[in-house]
Amino acid sequence: MMNVAYIGLGSNIGNRSENLNEAIKSLSLLEGISVVNYSSIYETDPVGYEDQDQFLNMVIQLETVMSPMQLLETCLQVEKNLGRKRLVRWGPRNIDLDILLYNHENIETEKLIIPHPRMQERAFVLIPLLEIQPDISLPEMNLPLQSTLEAIPDRKGVRIWKQKNGEDVFALFAS
Ligand SMILES: Nc1ncnc2c1ncn2[C@@H]1O[C@H](COP(=O)(O)OP(=O)(O)OP(=O)(O)O)[C@@H](O)[C@H]1O
Ligand SMILES: Nc1nc2c(c(=O)[nH]1)N=C(CO)CN2
């Protein structure tokens, strides 16, 4: 069965756009995953732990035959392959992959919570997500995410860094 998932990507160490590019390339090369849509890349002020560099953030949409747990394991493996080290909670990282949504499912296990529990507070997630899916809402909530975003003060800390400019996600990274 084909499932639809949205992944939020972030990077604030090293060559940030190359890190996003490598992560998307790794995912798209896997059997069982197709990257079907993607946002522009945004440069964003750090949230949560503020003494760190600015992030690049974006959101991609996948079609996948993987279960939510398989998708999480895959994301963790891609982070690991790209050399991700976990040092400080909410601290700097070369690559971070968060599963935001999986179909319209609500999942709550020790390792995996979907919708991502902090996505509603994060303009750096909502702005790219709404760029590719403007009328999206959370499962079992009638409130469209667009109105959630309007209530977030830090949305001013999110600026377009590279506009989506073609059909191919990798066109975004070409110089
Ligand atoms: N929807 C989800 N997507 C990705 N990881 C999740 C999700 N729900 C729970 N997790 C768990 O969170 C762990 C990853 O936490 P991580 O160190 O990336 O947190 P963080 O990025 O610092 O903070 P945040 O979760 O606020 O983005 C994973 O090992 C996974 O078990
Ligand atoms: N702007 C921004 N801030 C963050 C980010 C992120 O991706 N972008 N990720 C965090 C941990 O998940 C904590 N803070």
Side-chain angles (χ1 to χ4, degrees):
M1 182 188 148
M2 215 31 108
N3 303 288
V4 176
Y6 292 87
I7 308 284
L9 296 95
S11 171
N12 78 335
I13 297 182
N15 186 334
R16 300 172 302 168
S17 66
E18 190 54 30
N19 295 336
L20 298 177
N21 188 14
E22 286 297 319
I24 296 171
K25 214 186 285 173
S26 307
L27 289 173
S28 65
L29 287 173
L30 290 170
E31 209 171 307
I33 291 184
S34 309
V35 178
V36 296
N37 206 350
Y38 59 94
S39 70
S40 301
I41 303 174
Y42 293 80
E43 187 161 53
T44 69
D45 295 340
V47 173
Y49 174 82
E50 278 153 28
D51 185 17
Q52 58 178 325
D53 292 338
Q54 297 203 317
F55 280 79
L56 292 185
N57 285 108
M58 68 184 291
V59 169
I60 58 175
Q61 181 183 352
L62 307 181
E63 282 180 3
T64 182
V65 295
M66 291 186 187
S67 68
M69 252 338 267
Q70 288 172 324
L71 189 58
L72 175 66
E73 293 301 333
T74 300
C75 289
L76 294 175
Q77 190 60 48
V78 169
E79 289 179 350
K80 204 168 162 192
N81 293 347
L82 294 179
R84 161 92 184 259
K85 293 182 185 62
R86 291 168 194 282
L87 300 169
V88 181
R89 180 155 203 228
W90 296 329
R93 65 270 323 271
N94 58 337
I95 192 70
D96 187 28
L97 300 173
D98 288 332
I99 306 176
L100 307 174
L101 298 166
Y102 183 95
N103 296 332
H104 293 285
E105 295 184 22
N106 275 301
I107 298 165
E108 197 151 351
T109 68
E110 202 180 315
K111 285 193 173 159
L112 182 60
I113 303 174
I114 294 177
H116 190 281
R118 285 165 287 283
M119 66 181 278
Q120 288 184 76
E121 311 153 12
R122 292 177 164 177
F124 66 80
V125 170
L126 294 182
I127 290 173
L129 177 62
L130 286 162
E131 179 192 348
I132 58 178
Q133 207 57 264
D135 53 3
I136 202 159
S137 53
L138 294 182
E140 291 166 32
M141 264 185 66
N142 291 324
L143 194 66
L145 281 175
Q146 192 74 57
S147 50
T148 312
L149 173 63
E150 280 156 20
I152 300 179
D154 72 316
R155 65 189 185 284
K156 303 222 164 39
V158 176
R159 297 161 296 276
I160 290 222
W161 185 81
K162 199 156 188 188
Q163 189 101 38
K164 175 178 174 176
N165 61 353
E167 292 309 305
D168 177 3
V169 60
F170 301 112
L172 248 193
F173 299 99
S175 49

